[in-house]
Amino acid sequence: CISVAGGDCVIKGCELTSVGGYGVMVWGFATPCLKGCVLTGCRHAAVICGGYSRTSFCHNQVRGNGGFGVVVVDCAGGEFFGNFISGNGKCGVVCAGKSEASFRENDVSNGAQGGFWLRDETKCVIAKCSVQGNARVGVQVSDASDPLVERNEIRGGRNGGVVVHDRAKGRFICNDVVDNAQAGIGVMDEASPLFVGNRLKGNLAGGAVMAGSASAVLANNSISENGFAGIGLKEQARPVLLDNKIIDNRGYGVLVHGQSACQLASCLLEGNLGSGLCASGSSRVGLRGCTIRGGDGEKRERTGVQAQD
């Protein structure tokens, strides 16, 4: 529909559609501004930003497109602020290549293949966004990407909240990851993300689940009222757990099995309906300065520490 290869044009208050392809394509060193537009009914992505472009994309509606909502690739960047991105045929937002876009205060919902997909070597920023009701997961981080994800609400993912895999890293700070249909956080393969100050609550298949040879660090998180376990480890996962509150989960507080290993320091495990800590298989656990206690009434833990196999 519109191709911008250079300059700093302004596109404001337009309704854009493209039954054969993309709504807006931005390339080269272009620095356009799109504001107050409606992008809908595009066969592929509504907006694709590539090259070394820097796009200002604010207060737009991106909805009902056949492919992705917004795509940022190559070394592109820009500010994506206050947009409504919903009901697109693939993910709401994809950041790929070595892109460094910033997404702040966007509503990203009901994507048929997820909310955000951060891949390749992107170092994008996702902050203060509402990420709700997406199929698969709210935020998927793959390949060697290393994003900053902070102060978002990630809710109601039909398969999970956040998944980090391959060799991805990332800093996840002060997010609410709640009421997802699978795990709140899944970390696998050789991923090594950092989670600090997050709230993981009411996720049906666990607060945080790790597998493969994942080596995440979880510090100062509140992990409560999740199904299965507050934290579940399998295969050869090797996380470090520091100063987390793991309370009132509907299964175990921390479940460690397979050949996994973890270090827990200064954590509180209280009121989990199974054991506070359960280790099985050939797993290994180190405890330092933790408090493991029963809780009150019906939320009382059956066992503090359980070792089996």
Side-chain angles (χ1 to χ4, degrees), residues 21 52 97 100 117 141 164 182 200:
Y52 291 86
E100 296 187 357
W117 182 16
V141 185
V164 188
Q182 297 293 328
L200 313 179

Side-chain angles (χ1 to χ4, degrees), residues 198-221:
N198 301 282
R199 184 171 71 108
L200 313 179
K201 182 177 180 181
N203 301 288
L204 295 184
V209 176
M210 303 179 210
S213 54
S215 55
V217 175
L218 277 72
N220 298 106
N221 301 286

Side-chain angles (χ1 to χ4, degrees), residues 186-205:
V187 185
M188 59 196 73
D189 304 324
E190 299 176 22
S192 55
L194 171 66
F195 293 90
V196 178
N198 301 282
R199 184 171 71 108
L200 313 179
K201 182 177 180 181
N203 301 288
L204 295 184

Side-chain angles (χ1 to χ4, degrees), residues 15 30 35 39 53 79 141-142 156 178 212 232 237 240 242 259 266 283 302:
E15 182 168 338
K35 184 175 182 180
L39 297 97
S53 62
E79 293 288 333
V141 185
S142 66
V178 298
V240 175
L242 305 172
Q259 297 179 330
S266 302
S283 61
R302 297 175 184 175

